[in-house]
Short mmCIF file of all heavy atoms in Angstrom, two decimals:
data_model
loop_
_atom_site.label_atom_id
_atom_site.label_comp_id
_atom_site.label_asym_id
_atom_site.label_seq_id
_atom_site.Cartn_x
_atom_site.Cartn_y
_atom_site.Cartn_z
N GLY C 426 96.48 144.79 178.78
CA GLY C 426 96.78 144.93 177.38
C GLY C 426 95.59 144.85 176.42
O GLY C 426 95.69 144.62 175.23
N GLY C 427 94.35 145.11 177.03
CA GLY C 427 93.15 145.17 176.22
C GLY C 427 92.48 143.67 176.15
O GLY C 427 93.18 142.78 176.17
N GLY C 428 91.11 143.69 176.12
CA GLY C 428 90.38 142.52 175.98
C GLY C 428 90.20 141.91 177.34
O GLY C 428 90.70 142.40 178.38
N GLU C 429 89.44 140.85 177.47
CA GLU C 429 89.17 140.17 178.64
C GLU C 429 90.24 139.15 178.93
O GLU C 429 90.45 138.20 178.20
CB GLU C 429 87.78 139.40 178.60
CG GLU C 429 87.47 138.44 179.71
CD GLU C 429 87.64 139.11 181.08
OE1 GLU C 429 87.06 140.10 181.34
OE2 GLU C 429 88.48 138.49 181.88
N PRO C 430 91.05 139.33 180.10
CA PRO C 430 92.17 138.35 180.37
C PRO C 430 91.79 136.95 180.53
O PRO C 430 92.61 136.07 180.43
CB PRO C 430 92.79 138.99 181.65
CG PRO C 430 92.32 140.43 181.60
CD PRO C 430 90.92 140.45 181.01
N GLU C 431 90.46 136.74 180.84
CA GLU C 431 90.02 135.26 181.03
C GLU C 431 89.16 134.92 179.88
O GLU C 431 88.41 133.87 179.93
CB GLU C 431 89.34 135.08 182.30
CG GLU C 431 90.23 135.12 183.58
CD GLU C 431 90.89 133.81 183.74
OE1 GLU C 431 90.75 132.86 182.84
OE2 GLU C 431 91.57 133.55 184.77
N GLY C 432 89.11 135.73 178.86
CA GLY C 432 88.12 135.51 177.72
C GLY C 432 88.74 134.50 176.62
O GLY C 432 89.86 134.08 176.66
N VAL C 433 87.81 134.20 175.66
CA VAL C 433 88.26 133.23 174.68
C VAL C 433 89.38 133.77 173.84
O VAL C 433 90.24 132.93 173.41
CB VAL C 433 87.02 132.76 173.81
CG1 VAL C 433 86.07 132.00 174.60
CG2 VAL C 433 86.48 133.97 173.15
N GLY C 434 89.41 135.08 173.56
CA GLY C 434 90.45 135.61 172.77
C GLY C 434 91.80 135.47 173.42
O GLY C 434 92.85 135.03 172.79
N ARG C 435 91.88 135.70 174.73
CA ARG C 435 93.19 135.57 175.37
C ARG C 435 93.56 134.05 175.57
O ARG C 435 94.75 133.73 175.40
CB ARG C 435 93.09 136.25 176.89
CG ARG C 435 94.43 136.40 177.52
CD ARG C 435 95.36 137.36 176.76
NE ARG C 435 94.70 138.59 176.29
CZ ARG C 435 94.59 139.65 177.06
NH1 ARG C 435 95.04 139.56 178.29
NH2 ARG C 435 94.00 140.73 176.58
N HIS C 436 92.66 133.19 175.76
CA HIS C 436 92.91 131.76 175.78
C HIS C 436 93.41 131.30 174.42
O HIS C 436 94.27 130.43 174.33
CB HIS C 436 91.69 130.99 176.22
CG HIS C 436 91.57 131.00 177.76
ND1 HIS C 436 92.41 130.39 178.69
CD2 HIS C 436 90.59 131.60 178.48
CE1 HIS C 436 92.00 130.58 179.93
NE2 HIS C 436 90.89 131.43 179.79
N ALA C 437 92.85 131.84 173.36
CA ALA C 437 93.46 131.52 172.06
C ALA C 437 94.86 132.02 171.92
O ALA C 437 95.76 131.31 171.35
CB ALA C 437 92.53 132.18 170.91
N TRP C 438 95.24 133.13 172.46
CA TRP C 438 96.57 133.63 172.50
C TRP C 438 97.52 132.61 173.30
O TRP C 438 98.58 132.28 172.76
CB TRP C 438 96.77 135.02 173.09
CG TRP C 438 98.13 135.43 173.22
CD1 TRP C 438 98.89 135.99 172.23
CD2 TRP C 438 99.06 135.27 174.30
NE1 TRP C 438 100.20 136.25 172.52
CE2 TRP C 438 100.33 135.68 173.91
CE3 TRP C 438 98.95 134.62 175.57
CZ2 TRP C 438 101.39 135.76 174.77
CZ3 TRP C 438 99.95 134.64 176.40
CH2 TRP C 438 101.15 135.16 175.94
N TYR C 439 97.01 132.20 174.41
CA TYR C 439 97.79 131.13 175.14
C TYR C 439 98.11 129.91 174.27
O TYR C 439 99.29 129.47 174.28
CB TYR C 439 97.05 130.71 176.31
CG TYR C 439 97.12 131.62 177.65
CD1 TYR C 439 95.97 132.35 178.04
CD2 TYR C 439 98.33 131.80 178.31
CE1 TYR C 439 96.01 133.16 179.11
CE2 TYR C 439 98.35 132.61 179.41
CZ TYR C 439 97.17 133.34 179.78
OH TYR C 439 97.28 134.18 180.90
N GLU C 440 97.23 129.48 173.53
CA GLU C 440 97.36 128.29 172.72
C GLU C 440 98.29 128.61 171.54
O GLU C 440 99.15 127.80 171.25
CB GLU C 440 95.97 127.82 172.17
CG GLU C 440 95.10 127.23 173.19
CD GLU C 440 93.69 126.92 172.60
OE1 GLU C 440 93.53 127.10 171.47
OE2 GLU C 440 92.89 126.42 173.44
N ASP C 441 98.16 129.75 170.92
CA ASP C 441 99.01 130.24 169.87
C ASP C 441 100.53 130.30 170.31
O ASP C 441 101.37 129.90 169.61
CB ASP C 441 98.52 131.52 169.24
CG ASP C 441 97.21 131.36 168.50
OD1 ASP C 441 96.83 130.21 168.19
OD2 ASP C 441 96.61 132.33 168.22
N VAL C 442 100.73 130.92 171.40
CA VAL C 442 102.00 131.20 171.78
C VAL C 442 102.71 129.91 172.31
O VAL C 442 103.93 129.70 172.08
CB VAL C 442 102.10 132.29 172.98
CG1 VAL C 442 101.80 131.76 174.34
CG2 VAL C 442 103.56 132.91 172.92
#
Side-chain angles (χ1 to χ4, degrees):
E429 168 52 55
E431 287 278 9
V433 295
R435 193 62 47 83
H436 282 291
W438 175 86
Y439 279 111
E440 293 175 0
D441 290 345
V442 82

